[in-house]
Amino acid sequence: QKEVEQNSGPLSVPEGAIASLNCTYSDRGSQSFFWYRQYSGKSPELIMSIYSNGDKEDGRFTAQLNKASQYVSLLIRDSQPSDSATYLCAVPLRTYKYIFGTGTRLKVLA
Amino acid sequence: ETGVTQTPRHLVMGMTNKKSLKCEQHLGHNAMYWYKQSAKKPLELMFVYNFKEQTENNSVPSRFSPECPNSSHLFLHLHTLQPEDSALYLCASSQDLLGGLQPQHFGDGTRLSIL
């Protein structure tokens, strides 16, 4: 089993819809979780972090964490074409050793 | 502007060449990282430095040689690379290594092509 798993996509959603991106992880002891957005040819950019079970909202982005089920998700409301990118889930395995998923490619159709 | 600057942005080299990648961070962080990103693969951690000291070498071949002269600068020296080393090489930094709560901030990467 991979340590961090994401559906590679592409996930296509129409403009204005909610995009739902999922990530599962294998280490039950993981305490922090990060979502990065990576545009083609650019570096990963941190967009959300979550440490506690439940939801965390930041603008159009909501991160959801369920430690019992070992998944973390990212919802993007009112999706825009500019949200089209690859979204990476990152879970620190040890204090600094981040394990990244392969990323989910999101395409928002105008 | 991420606060982490990498040069060059693109590099094409032959297998017998020697070149170096440079990373500089302006965030006042103490930890720096090298990652390799290949198509359709997750980011692979290569090296970790904390306060200039190497704390992780993730079984990286010796043809990759890191150097960290101070907390703001990180180099990756390359020699006799193989075609499979063609990838995007990303540098990142974080405040420190404590607790796994520190997000990492990435540079824009060096796109490396080995002929």
Side-chain angles (χ1 to χ4, degrees), chain A residues 36 95-96 98, chain B residues 4 25 27-33 48-51 71 92-98 101-106:
Chain A
Y36 287 81
T95 55
Y96 56 81
Y98 280 43
Chain B
V4 181
Q25 57 95 0
L27 301 170
H29 289 168
N30 298 310
M32 297 187 76
Y33 313 77
V48 180
Y49 278 81
N50 190 37
F51 291 96
S71 293
S93 70
S94 66
Q95 183 61 52
D96 51 44
L97 299 185
L98 297 178
L101 301 180
Q102 303 290 339
Q104 296 181 7
H105 299 264
F106 287 84

mmCIF file of all heavy atoms in Angstrom, chain A residues 36 95-96 98, chain B residues 4 25 27-33 48-51 71 92-98 101-106:
data_model
loop_
_atom_site.group_PDB
_atom_site.id
_atom_site.type_symbol
_atom_site.label_atom_id
_atom_site.label_comp_id
_atom_site.label_asym_id
_atom_site.label_seq_id
_atom_site.Cartn_x
_atom_site.Cartn_y
_atom_site.Cartn_z
ATOM 1 N N TYR A 36 -0.982 21.172 -1.526
ATOM 2 C CA TYR A 36 -0.228 22.070 -2.389
ATOM 3 C C TYR A 36 -0.880 22.098 -3.766
ATOM 4 O O TYR A 36 -1.418 21.101 -4.240
ATOM 5 C CB TYR A 36 1.227 21.590 -2.560
ATOM 6 C CG TYR A 36 2.108 21.782 -1.350
ATOM 7 C CD1 TYR A 36 2.081 20.881 -0.293
ATOM 8 C CD2 TYR A 36 2.985 22.864 -1.276
ATOM 9 C CE1 TYR A 36 2.908 21.059 0.820
ATOM 10 C CE2 TYR A 36 3.811 23.050 -0.183
ATOM 11 C CZ TYR A 36 3.759 22.137 0.857
ATOM 12 O OH TYR A 36 4.577 22.321 1.947
ATOM 13 N N THR A 95 9.209 13.795 11.507
ATOM 14 C CA THR A 95 9.069 15.230 11.772
ATOM 15 C C THR A 95 9.215 16.062 10.506
ATOM 16 O O THR A 95 8.557 17.072 10.343
ATOM 17 C CB THR A 95 10.115 15.700 12.782
ATOM 18 O OG1 THR A 95 11.414 15.338 12.304
ATOM 19 C CG2 THR A 95 9.883 15.067 14.135
ATOM 20 N N TYR A 96 10.079 15.654 9.594
ATOM 21 C CA TYR A 96 10.315 16.490 8.430
ATOM 22 C C TYR A 96 10.186 15.732 7.118
ATOM 23 O O TYR A 96 10.223 16.323 6.057
ATOM 24 C CB TYR A 96 11.722 17.101 8.491
ATOM 25 C CG TYR A 96 12.810 16.056 8.622
ATOM 26 C CD1 TYR A 96 13.280 15.370 7.507
ATOM 27 C CD2 TYR A 96 13.344 15.734 9.859
ATOM 28 C CE1 TYR A 96 14.247 14.404 7.619
ATOM 29 C CE2 TYR A 96 14.316 14.762 9.977
ATOM 30 C CZ TYR A 96 14.765 14.105 8.863
ATOM 31 O OH TYR A 96 15.734 13.160 8.979
ATOM 32 N N TYR A 98 8.378 14.548 4.490
ATOM 33 C CA TYR A 98 7.073 14.640 3.866
ATOM 34 C C TYR A 98 6.917 13.533 2.835
ATOM 35 O O TYR A 98 7.802 13.306 2.023
ATOM 36 C CB TYR A 98 6.916 15.980 3.150
ATOM 37 C CG TYR A 98 6.576 17.139 4.054
ATOM 38 C CD1 TYR A 98 7.207 17.318 5.272
ATOM 39 C CD2 TYR A 98 5.629 18.074 3.660
ATOM 40 C CE1 TYR A 98 6.902 18.378 6.078
ATOM 41 C CE2 TYR A 98 5.315 19.142 4.458
ATOM 42 C CZ TYR A 98 5.948 19.295 5.671
ATOM 43 O OH TYR A 98 5.644 20.356 6.461
ATOM 44 N N VAL B 4 12.024 31.477 -2.285
ATOM 45 C CA VAL B 4 13.041 30.462 -2.552
ATOM 46 C C VAL B 4 13.386 30.562 -4.043
ATOM 47 O O VAL B 4 12.508 30.384 -4.889
ATOM 48 C CB VAL B 4 12.536 29.042 -2.221
ATOM 49 C CG1 VAL B 4 13.634 28.012 -2.488
ATOM 50 C CG2 VAL B 4 12.077 28.965 -0.770
ATOM 51 N N GLN B 25 17.321 30.825 -0.186
ATOM 52 C CA GLN B 25 16.042 31.192 0.421
ATOM 53 C C GLN B 25 16.194 32.469 1.241
ATOM 54 O O GLN B 25 17.204 32.682 1.912
ATOM 55 C CB GLN B 25 15.468 30.036 1.256
ATOM 56 C CG GLN B 25 16.343 29.501 2.371
ATOM 57 C CD GLN B 25 16.069 30.092 3.723
ATOM 58 O OE1 GLN B 25 15.184 30.944 3.890
ATOM 59 N NE2 GLN B 25 16.824 29.666 4.725
ATOM 60 N N LEU B 27 13.790 33.518 3.485
ATOM 61 C CA LEU B 27 12.705 33.419 4.462
ATOM 62 C C LEU B 27 13.199 33.301 5.889
ATOM 63 O O LEU B 27 12.382 33.184 6.803
ATOM 64 C CB LEU B 27 11.817 32.205 4.110
ATOM 65 C CG LEU B 27 11.178 32.257 2.716
ATOM 66 C CD1 LEU B 27 10.534 30.924 2.364
ATOM 67 C CD2 LEU B 27 10.159 33.387 2.643
ATOM 68 N N GLY B 28 14.505 33.250 6.064
ATOM 69 C CA GLY B 28 15.052 33.094 7.404
ATOM 70 C C GLY B 28 14.862 31.697 7.966
ATOM 71 O O GLY B 28 14.886 31.500 9.182
ATOM 72 N N HIS B 29 14.662 30.726 7.078
ATOM 73 C CA HIS B 29 14.460 29.352 7.515
ATOM 74 C C HIS B 29 15.786 28.675 7.850
ATOM 75 O O HIS B 29 16.851 29.100 7.405
ATOM 76 C CB HIS B 29 13.739 28.561 6.424
ATOM 77 C CG HIS B 29 12.302 28.960 6.257
ATOM 78 N ND1 HIS B 29 11.533 28.552 5.176
ATOM 79 C CD2 HIS B 29 11.490 29.705 7.041
ATOM 80 C CE1 HIS B 29 10.313 29.037 5.303
ATOM 81 N NE2 HIS B 29 10.259 29.752 6.424
ATOM 82 N N ASN B 30 15.668 27.594 8.616
ATOM 83 C CA ASN B 30 16.866 26.862 9.020
ATOM 84 C C ASN B 30 17.023 25.510 8.342
ATOM 85 O O ASN B 30 18.092 24.917 8.398
ATOM 86 C CB ASN B 30 16.838 26.635 10.545
ATOM 87 C CG ASN B 30 16.854 27.942 11.293
ATOM 88 O OD1 ASN B 30 17.676 28.815 11.032
ATOM 89 N ND2 ASN B 30 15.925 28.102 12.234
ATOM 90 N N ALA B 31 15.970 25.028 7.723
ATOM 91 C CA ALA B 31 16.010 23.718 7.075
ATOM 92 C C ALA B 31 15.818 23.874 5.570
ATOM 93 O O ALA B 31 15.001 24.679 5.118
ATOM 94 C CB ALA B 31 14.921 22.809 7.639
ATOM 95 N N MET B 32 16.595 23.116 4.813
ATOM 96 C CA MET B 32 16.481 23.150 3.346
ATOM 97 C C MET B 32 16.490 21.735 2.795
ATOM 98 O O MET B 32 17.080 20.817 3.404
ATOM 99 C CB MET B 32 17.620 23.980 2.726
ATOM 100 C CG MET B 32 17.582 25.440 3.161
ATOM 101 S SD MET B 32 18.782 26.479 2.315
ATOM 102 C CE MET B 32 18.005 26.682 0.709
ATOM 103 N N TYR B 33 15.844 21.558 1.655
ATOM 104 C CA TYR B 33 15.599 20.229 1.102
ATOM 105 C C TYR B 33 15.839 20.237 -0.409
ATOM 106 O O TYR B 33 15.589 21.232 -1.083
ATOM 107 C CB TYR B 33 14.138 19.814 1.315
ATOM 108 C CG TYR B 33 13.581 20.028 2.703
ATOM 109 C CD1 TYR B 33 13.210 21.293 3.145
ATOM 110 C CD2 TYR B 33 13.398 18.951 3.564
ATOM 111 C CE1 TYR B 33 12.695 21.492 4.416
ATOM 112 C CE2 TYR B 33 12.871 19.138 4.831
ATOM 113 C CZ TYR B 33 12.513 20.412 5.251
ATOM 114 O OH TYR B 33 12.003 20.595 6.506
ATOM 115 N N VAL B 48 18.216 16.446 3.101
ATOM 116 C CA VAL B 48 17.701 17.420 4.057
ATOM 117 C C VAL B 48 18.872 18.011 4.828
ATOM 118 O O VAL B 48 19.770 17.262 5.259
ATOM 119 C CB VAL B 48 16.726 16.770 5.061
ATOM 120 C CG1 VAL B 48 16.201 17.818 6.051
ATOM 121 C CG2 VAL B 48 15.573 16.102 4.336
ATOM 122 N N TYR B 49 18.868 19.318 4.985
ATOM 123 C CA TYR B 49 19.867 20.007 5.793
ATOM 124 C C TYR B 49 19.155 20.825 6.861
ATOM 125 O O TYR B 49 18.131 21.449 6.588
ATOM 126 C CB TYR B 49 20.720 20.945 4.931
ATOM 127 C CG TYR B 49 21.832 20.241 4.202
ATOM 128 C CD1 TYR B 49 21.588 19.563 3.018
ATOM 129 C CD2 TYR B 49 23.125 20.239 4.707
ATOM 130 C CE1 TYR B 49 22.604 18.901 2.349
ATOM 131 C CE2 TYR B 49 24.150 19.585 4.050
ATOM 132 C CZ TYR B 49 23.881 18.911 2.871
ATOM 133 O OH TYR B 49 24.899 18.265 2.220
ATOM 134 N N ASN B 50 19.699 20.802 8.062
ATOM 135 C CA ASN B 50 19.171 21.604 9.154
ATOM 136 C C ASN B 50 20.345 22.337 9.790
ATOM 137 O O ASN B 50 21.301 21.702 10.239
ATOM 138 C CB ASN B 50 18.466 20.707 10.180
ATOM 139 C CG ASN B 50 17.692 21.509 11.194
ATOM 140 O OD1 ASN B 50 17.092 22.521 10.880
ATOM 141 N ND2 ASN B 50 17.694 21.052 12.432
ATOM 142 N N PHE B 51 20.271 23.662 9.815
ATOM 143 C CA PHE B 51 21.393 24.458 10.321
ATOM 144 C C PHE B 51 22.715 24.020 9.681
ATOM 145 O O PHE B 51 23.727 23.809 10.362
ATOM 146 C CB PHE B 51 21.500 24.361 11.851
ATOM 147 C CG PHE B 51 20.381 25.035 12.582
ATOM 148 C CD1 PHE B 51 19.286 24.309 13.021
ATOM 149 C CD2 PHE B 51 20.421 26.397 12.835
ATOM 150 C CE1 PHE B 51 18.245 24.933 13.696
ATOM 151 C CE2 PHE B 51 19.386 27.028 13.511
ATOM 152 C CZ PHE B 51 18.306 26.284 13.948
ATOM 153 N N SER B 71 22.720 28.507 6.129
ATOM 154 C CA SER B 71 21.288 28.169 6.171
ATOM 155 C C SER B 71 20.491 28.756 5.017
ATOM 156 O O SER B 71 19.345 28.380 4.807
ATOM 157 C CB SER B 71 20.679 28.646 7.495
ATOM 158 O OG SER B 71 21.200 27.918 8.566
ATOM 159 N N ALA B 92 13.393 23.256 -1.383
ATOM 160 C CA ALA B 92 12.384 23.749 -0.460
ATOM 161 C C ALA B 92 13.051 24.150 0.845
ATOM 162 O O ALA B 92 14.177 23.737 1.137
ATOM 163 C CB ALA B 92 11.314 22.687 -0.201
ATOM 164 N N SER B 93 12.348 24.965 1.618
ATOM 165 C CA SER B 93 12.846 25.317 2.938
ATOM 166 C C SER B 93 11.685 25.326 3.921
ATOM 167 O O SER B 93 10.515 25.458 3.532
ATOM 168 C CB SER B 93 13.540 26.685 2.922
ATOM 169 O OG SER B 93 12.599 27.728 2.736
ATOM 170 N N SER B 94 12.018 25.167 5.197
ATOM 171 C CA SER B 94 11.028 25.295 6.263
ATOM 172 C C SER B 94 11.718 25.924 7.463
ATOM 173 O O SER B 94 12.949 25.930 7.547
ATOM 174 C CB SER B 94 10.403 23.958 6.625
ATOM 175 O OG SER B 94 11.363 23.076 7.190
ATOM 176 N N GLN B 95 10.916 26.425 8.385
ATOM 177 C CA GLN B 95 11.479 27.122 9.530
ATOM 178 C C GLN B 95 12.478 26.225 10.275
ATOM 179 O O GLN B 95 13.570 26.638 10.616
ATOM 180 C CB GLN B 95 10.368 27.572 10.475
ATOM 181 C CG GLN B 95 10.856 28.379 11.656
ATOM 182 C CD GLN B 95 11.546 29.657 11.206
ATOM 183 O OE1 GLN B 95 11.008 30.426 10.431
ATOM 184 N NE2 GLN B 95 12.776 29.879 11.693
ATOM 185 N N ASP B 96 12.069 25.009 10.529
ATOM 186 C CA ASP B 96 12.951 24.045 11.186
ATOM 187 C C ASP B 96 12.405 22.645 10.939
ATOM 188 O O ASP B 96 11.528 22.470 10.100
ATOM 189 C CB ASP B 96 13.070 24.340 12.695
ATOM 190 C CG ASP B 96 11.704 24.487 13.357
ATOM 191 O OD1 ASP B 96 10.810 23.664 13.068
ATOM 192 O OD2 ASP B 96 11.517 25.427 14.131
ATOM 193 N N LEU B 97 12.910 21.675 11.649
ATOM 194 C CA LEU B 97 12.486 20.296 11.443
ATOM 195 C C LEU B 97 11.556 19.807 12.551
ATOM 196 O O LEU B 97 11.225 18.643 12.599
ATOM 197 C CB LEU B 97 13.700 19.374 11.394
ATOM 198 C CG LEU B 97 14.721 19.620 10.289
ATOM 199 C CD1 LEU B 97 15.788 18.541 10.304
ATOM 200 C CD2 LEU B 97 14.063 19.702 8.933
ATOM 201 N N LEU B 98 11.115 20.696 13.410
ATOM 202 C CA LEU B 98 10.400 20.258 14.592
ATOM 203 C C LEU B 98 8.946 19.920 14.313
ATOM 204 O O LEU B 98 8.218 20.674 13.674
ATOM 205 C CB LEU B 98 10.451 21.351 15.668
ATOM 206 C CG LEU B 98 11.843 21.692 16.189
ATOM 207 C CD1 LEU B 98 11.763 22.826 17.207
ATOM 208 C CD2 LEU B 98 12.495 20.475 16.812
ATOM 209 N N LEU B 101 5.060 20.064 11.789
ATOM 210 C CA LEU B 101 3.993 21.034 11.609
ATOM 211 C C LEU B 101 4.385 22.181 10.696
ATOM 212 O O LEU B 101 3.573 23.041 10.393
ATOM 213 C CB LEU B 101 3.590 21.613 12.978
ATOM 214 C CG LEU B 101 3.114 20.595 14.011
ATOM 215 C CD1 LEU B 101 2.760 21.300 15.306
ATOM 216 C CD2 LEU B 101 1.919 19.815 13.495
ATOM 217 N N GLN B 102 5.631 22.166 10.268
ATOM 218 C CA GLN B 102 6.122 23.277 9.471
ATOM 219 C C GLN B 102 5.891 23.020 7.988
ATOM 220 O O GLN B 102 6.359 22.020 7.452
ATOM 221 C CB GLN B 102 7.632 23.449 9.705
ATOM 222 C CG GLN B 102 8.014 23.651 11.142
ATOM 223 C CD GLN B 102 7.559 24.994 11.654
ATOM 224 O OE1 GLN B 102 7.303 25.912 10.875
ATOM 225 N NE2 GLN B 102 7.437 25.131 12.965
ATOM 226 N N PRO B 103 5.173 23.896 7.326
ATOM 227 C CA PRO B 103 5.024 23.725 5.885
ATOM 228 C C PRO B 103 6.340 24.000 5.178
ATOM 229 O O PRO B 103 7.164 24.767 5.668
ATOM 230 C CB PRO B 103 3.973 24.774 5.509
ATOM 231 C CG PRO B 103 4.087 25.812 6.562
ATOM 232 C CD PRO B 103 4.491 25.102 7.815
ATOM 233 N N GLN B 104 6.516 23.369 4.062
ATOM 234 C CA GLN B 104 7.699 23.593 3.253
ATOM 235 C C GLN B 104 7.347 24.540 2.106
ATOM 236 O O GLN B 104 6.274 24.454 1.525
ATOM 237 C CB GLN B 104 8.231 22.269 2.708
ATOM 238 C CG GLN B 104 8.703 21.353 3.826
ATOM 239 C CD GLN B 104 9.259 20.042 3.332
ATOM 240 O OE1 GLN B 104 9.418 19.827 2.137
ATOM 241 N NE2 GLN B 104 9.560 19.151 4.258
ATOM 242 N N HIS B 105 8.285 25.421 1.805
ATOM 243 C CA HIS B 105 8.098 26.406 0.741
ATOM 244 C C HIS B 105 9.068 26.075 -0.383
ATOM 245 O O HIS B 105 10.269 25.932 -0.137
ATOM 246 C CB HIS B 105 8.334 27.818 1.269
ATOM 247 C CG HIS B 105 7.390 28.186 2.370
ATOM 248 N ND1 HIS B 105 6.226 28.892 2.138
ATOM 249 C CD2 HIS B 105 7.411 27.922 3.699
ATOM 250 C CE1 HIS B 105 5.580 29.063 3.280
ATOM 251 N NE2 HIS B 105 6.274 28.486 4.233
ATOM 252 N N PHE B 106 8.543 25.994 -1.593
ATOM 253 C CA PHE B 106 9.326 25.501 -2.718
ATOM 254 C C PHE B 106 9.793 26.616 -3.642
ATOM 255 O O PHE B 106 9.101 27.623 -3.833
ATOM 256 C CB PHE B 106 8.490 24.519 -3.547
ATOM 257 C CG PHE B 106 8.277 23.193 -2.888
ATOM 258 C CD1 PHE B 106 7.253 23.020 -1.970
ATOM 259 C CD2 PHE B 106 9.106 22.120 -3.170
ATOM 260 C CE1 PHE B 106 7.053 21.794 -1.351
ATOM 261 C CE2 PHE B 106 8.916 20.893 -2.563
ATOM 262 C CZ PHE B 106 7.890 20.722 -1.655
#
